Amino acid sequence: MKILGISGSLRRDSHNRRLLLEAAERFPVGTELVLYDGLKTLPHYDEDDDRDDEVDPAVIELRDAIAGADAILIATPEYNSSIPGALKNAIDWASRPRAAAVIHGKPVAVIGASTGSFGGVWAQAELKKVLRTAGARLVEGEVAVPRAHVRLDEDGQLLDDELHERLVALVDALLAEITPRAAVAA
Protein backbone atom coordinates (compact mmCIF):
# COMPACT_ATOMS: atom_id res chain seq x y z
CA MET A 1 0.00 0.00 0.00
CA LYS A 2 1.10 3.51 -0.74
CA ILE A 3 0.11 6.52 1.39
CA LEU A 4 0.77 9.96 -0.04
CA GLY A 5 1.87 12.35 2.71
CA ILE A 6 1.30 16.06 2.14
CA SER A 7 2.58 18.66 4.57
CA GLY A 8 0.82 21.98 4.28
CA SER A 9 3.95 23.70 5.51
CA LEU A 10 6.57 24.65 2.95
CA ARG A 11 9.42 24.45 5.48
CA ARG A 12 11.62 21.39 4.91
CA ASP A 13 11.88 20.57 8.62
CA SER A 14 8.42 21.67 9.68
CA HIS A 15 6.60 20.16 12.64
CA ASN A 16 3.95 18.89 10.21
CA ARG A 17 6.45 17.09 8.02
CA ARG A 18 7.92 15.48 11.13
CA LEU A 19 4.42 14.49 12.25
CA LEU A 20 3.87 12.74 8.91
CA LEU A 21 7.10 10.80 9.41
CA GLU A 22 6.00 9.88 12.93
CA ALA A 23 2.69 8.59 11.54
CA ALA A 24 4.56 6.48 8.98
CA GLU A 25 6.34 4.73 11.84
CA ARG A 26 2.93 3.26 12.69
CA PHE A 27 2.37 1.80 9.21
CA PRO A 28 2.41 -1.97 8.89
CA VAL A 29 5.10 -3.73 6.88
CA GLY A 30 4.44 -3.30 3.17
CA THR A 31 2.93 0.17 3.54
CA GLU A 32 5.03 3.10 2.43
CA LEU A 33 4.77 6.83 2.92
CA VAL A 34 5.57 8.88 -0.17
CA LEU A 35 6.10 12.53 0.74
CA TYR A 36 4.82 15.00 -1.81
CA ASP A 37 7.10 18.02 -1.86
CA GLY A 38 5.78 20.00 -4.81
CA LEU A 39 3.55 22.59 -3.13
CA LYS A 40 6.06 25.36 -3.88
CA THR A 41 6.11 24.60 -7.60
CA LEU A 42 2.36 24.46 -8.22
CA PRO A 43 1.01 27.44 -10.15
CA HIS A 44 -2.01 29.23 -8.73
CA TYR A 45 -5.18 27.50 -9.85
CA ASP A 46 -6.61 29.13 -12.95
CA GLU A 47 -9.26 27.34 -14.97
CA ASP A 48 -7.85 28.93 -18.13
CA ASP A 49 -4.61 27.02 -17.50
CA ASP A 50 -6.35 23.72 -16.72
CA ARG A 51 -6.58 22.36 -20.25
CA ASP A 52 -5.98 18.85 -21.57
CA ASP A 53 -3.61 20.14 -24.24
CA GLU A 54 -1.32 22.08 -21.90
CA VAL A 55 -1.22 21.37 -18.17
CA ASP A 56 1.75 22.52 -16.09
CA PRO A 57 4.13 19.61 -15.31
CA ALA A 58 3.86 20.37 -11.57
CA VAL A 59 0.10 19.83 -11.77
CA ILE A 60 0.57 16.56 -13.63
CA GLU A 61 3.03 15.45 -10.92
CA LEU A 62 0.50 16.25 -8.16
CA ARG A 63 -2.37 14.51 -9.92
CA ASP A 64 -0.23 11.45 -10.71
CA ALA A 65 0.95 11.25 -7.09
CA ILE A 66 -2.64 11.31 -5.83
CA ALA A 67 -3.86 8.85 -8.45
CA GLY A 68 -1.03 6.44 -7.62
CA ALA A 69 -1.70 6.49 -3.88
CA ASP A 70 -4.10 4.24 -2.03
CA ALA A 71 -4.81 7.03 0.46
CA ILE A 72 -3.64 10.48 1.52
CA LEU A 73 -2.47 11.72 4.90
CA ILE A 74 -2.33 15.51 5.17
CA ALA A 75 -0.61 17.39 8.00
CA THR A 76 -1.54 21.03 8.15
CA PRO A 77 -0.29 23.98 10.14
CA GLU A 78 -2.68 26.79 10.96
CA TYR A 79 -2.17 30.19 9.36
CA ASN A 80 -4.54 32.97 10.40
CA SER A 81 -7.03 30.42 11.76
CA SER A 82 -7.18 28.52 8.47
CA ILE A 83 -5.19 26.35 6.07
CA PRO A 84 -2.12 27.55 4.19
CA GLY A 85 -2.85 28.94 0.72
CA ALA A 86 -0.43 26.54 -0.98
CA LEU A 87 -2.27 23.55 0.45
CA LYS A 88 -5.68 24.90 -0.61
CA ASN A 89 -4.26 25.52 -4.08
CA ALA A 90 -3.13 21.88 -4.34
CA ILE A 91 -6.59 20.67 -3.42
CA ASP A 92 -8.10 22.99 -6.02
CA TRP A 93 -5.89 21.39 -8.69
CA ALA A 94 -6.68 17.88 -7.39
CA SER A 95 -10.42 18.51 -7.47
CA ARG A 96 -10.50 19.40 -11.16
CA PRO A 97 -11.80 18.49 -13.65
CA ARG A 98 -14.81 17.87 -11.46
CA ALA A 99 -16.07 14.74 -13.24
CA ALA A 100 -12.65 13.07 -13.21
CA ALA A 101 -10.97 14.57 -10.14
CA VAL A 102 -8.15 12.38 -8.79
CA ILE A 103 -9.13 13.18 -5.21
CA HIS A 104 -12.75 12.08 -5.66
CA GLY A 105 -13.40 9.01 -3.52
CA LYS A 106 -9.80 8.87 -2.26
CA PRO A 107 -9.48 8.08 1.48
CA VAL A 108 -7.94 11.08 3.26
CA ALA A 109 -7.03 11.66 6.91
CA VAL A 110 -6.04 15.02 8.37
CA ILE A 111 -3.60 15.71 11.20
CA GLY A 112 -1.81 18.85 12.24
CA ALA A 113 0.67 20.53 14.50
CA SER A 114 1.28 24.10 15.51
CA THR A 115 3.25 25.98 18.10
CA GLY A 116 0.02 27.54 19.37
CA SER A 117 -2.19 26.25 22.15
CA PHE A 118 -4.82 24.57 19.98
CA GLY A 119 -2.72 22.51 17.56
CA GLY A 120 -4.36 23.82 14.43
CA VAL A 121 -7.90 22.55 15.11
CA TRP A 122 -9.45 25.37 13.09
CA ALA A 123 -7.21 24.63 10.13
CA GLN A 124 -8.11 20.96 10.32
CA ALA A 125 -11.83 21.81 10.38
CA GLU A 126 -11.44 24.10 7.36
CA LEU A 127 -9.38 21.50 5.51
CA LYS A 128 -11.96 18.77 6.16
CA LYS A 129 -14.68 21.04 4.77
CA VAL A 130 -12.66 21.66 1.61
CA LEU A 131 -11.83 17.97 1.20
CA ARG A 132 -15.47 16.90 1.60
CA THR A 133 -16.50 19.45 -1.01
CA ALA A 134 -13.78 18.16 -3.34
CA GLY A 135 -15.23 14.65 -3.03
CA ALA A 136 -12.54 13.00 -0.91
CA ARG A 137 -13.56 10.11 1.36
CA LEU A 138 -12.69 11.70 4.70
CA VAL A 139 -11.55 9.53 7.58
CA GLU A 140 -12.99 10.83 10.83
CA GLY A 141 -10.75 11.51 13.80
CA GLU A 142 -8.57 14.32 15.05
CA VAL A 143 -4.92 14.59 15.88
CA ALA A 144 -4.04 18.16 16.77
CA VAL A 145 -0.61 18.67 18.29
CA PRO A 146 -0.50 21.96 20.20
CA ARG A 147 2.81 23.45 21.28
CA ALA A 148 4.53 21.18 18.77
CA HIS A 149 7.93 22.64 19.59
CA VAL A 150 7.76 20.89 23.00
CA ARG A 151 5.53 17.91 22.15
CA LEU A 152 7.68 16.60 19.30
CA ASP A 153 11.32 15.78 19.91
CA GLU A 154 14.08 16.64 17.42
CA ASP A 155 13.41 13.34 15.60
CA GLY A 156 9.71 14.12 15.30
CA GLN A 157 8.53 11.60 17.87
CA LEU A 158 5.51 12.52 19.93
CA LEU A 159 6.29 12.97 23.60
CA ASP A 160 2.62 12.89 24.60
CA ASP A 161 1.13 9.39 25.08
CA GLU A 162 -2.48 10.49 24.50
CA LEU A 163 -1.59 12.19 21.20
CA HIS A 164 0.43 9.13 20.21
CA GLU A 165 -2.62 6.89 20.81
CA ARG A 166 -4.82 9.22 18.74
CA LEU A 167 -2.29 9.17 15.91
CA VAL A 168 -2.18 5.36 15.95
CA ALA A 169 -6.00 5.19 15.93
CA LEU A 170 -6.26 7.60 13.00
CA VAL A 171 -3.60 5.74 11.00
CA ASP A 172 -5.47 2.49 11.66
CA ALA A 173 -8.74 4.08 10.51
CA LEU A 174 -7.09 5.37 7.32
CA LEU A 175 -5.61 1.96 6.53
CA ALA A 176 -9.00 0.32 7.18
CA GLU A 177 -10.54 2.58 4.53
CA ILE A 178 -8.09 1.24 1.96
CA THR A 179 -8.82 -2.45 2.55
CA PRO A 180 -12.43 -2.54 1.29
CA ARG A 181 -11.46 -0.68 -1.88
CA ALA A 182 -8.45 -2.90 -2.54
CA ALA A 183 -10.54 -6.06 -2.01
CA VAL A 184 -13.09 -4.90 -4.60
CA ALA A 185 -10.34 -4.21 -7.14
CA ALA A 186 -8.77 -7.68 -6.67
Side-chain angles (χ1 to χ4, degrees):
M1 287 188 285
K2 186 185 297 184
I3 309 298
L4 181 66
I6 301 174
S7 172
S9 174
L10 299 179
R11 289 187 322 110
R12 185 179 324 108
D13 295 320
S14 75
H15 299 301
N16 284 283
R17 185 177 192 284
R18 291 183 0 211
L19 187 58
L20 285 172
L21 295 174
E22 171 75 357
E25 293 293 321
R26 311 297 155 232
F27 291 173
V29 173
T31 302
E32 71 172 308
L33 176 72
V34 176
L35 288 175
Y36 173 75
D37 62 359
L39 286 184
K40 279 185 181 182
T41 62
L42 282 172
H44 296 292
Y45 184 81
D46 180 344
E47 193 172 0
D48 290 340
D49 295 334
D50 193 6
R51 306 184 325 252
D52 287 337
D53 63 330
E54 191 178 316
V55 178
D56 189 289
V59 173
I60 294 169
E61 179 184 334
L62 170 69
R63 288 176 174 167
D64 287 349
I66 292 171
D70 295 300
I72 304 169
L73 181 59
I74 301 174
T76 185
E78 186 168 285
Y79 296 162
N80 296 317
S81 302
S82 191
I83 60 177
L87 180 57
K88 172 65 168 67
N89 185 52
I91 295 167
D92 289 344
W93 279 111
S95 68
R96 304 285 191 268
R98 194 68 168 155
V102 293
I103 202 164
H104 189 270
K106 187 74 64 171
V108 180
V110 175
I111 58 179
S114 81
T115 56
S117 298
F118 299 108
V121 293
W122 288 351
Q124 288 185 50
E126 289 289 318
L127 181 55
K128 289 175 181 180
K129 179 178 76 172
V130 170
L131 289 165
R132 279 188 194 98
T133 302
R137 204 166 80 224
L138 202 62
V139 174
E140 292 303 323
E142 183 172 283
V143 178
V145 181
R147 301 179 37 81
H149 57 292
V150 296
R151 292 226 170 131
L152 289 167
D153 70 15
E154 59 274 352
D155 295 324
Q157 294 190 343
L158 280 168
L159 301 173
D160 182 304
D161 290 340
E162 180 185 341
L163 288 173
H164 183 265
E165 288 174 18
R166 280 195 210 158
L167 183 61
V168 169
L170 188 61
V171 165
D172 288 347
L174 178 62
L175 295 174
E177 282 296 311
I178 297 169
T179 306
R181 194 166 161 222
V184 171

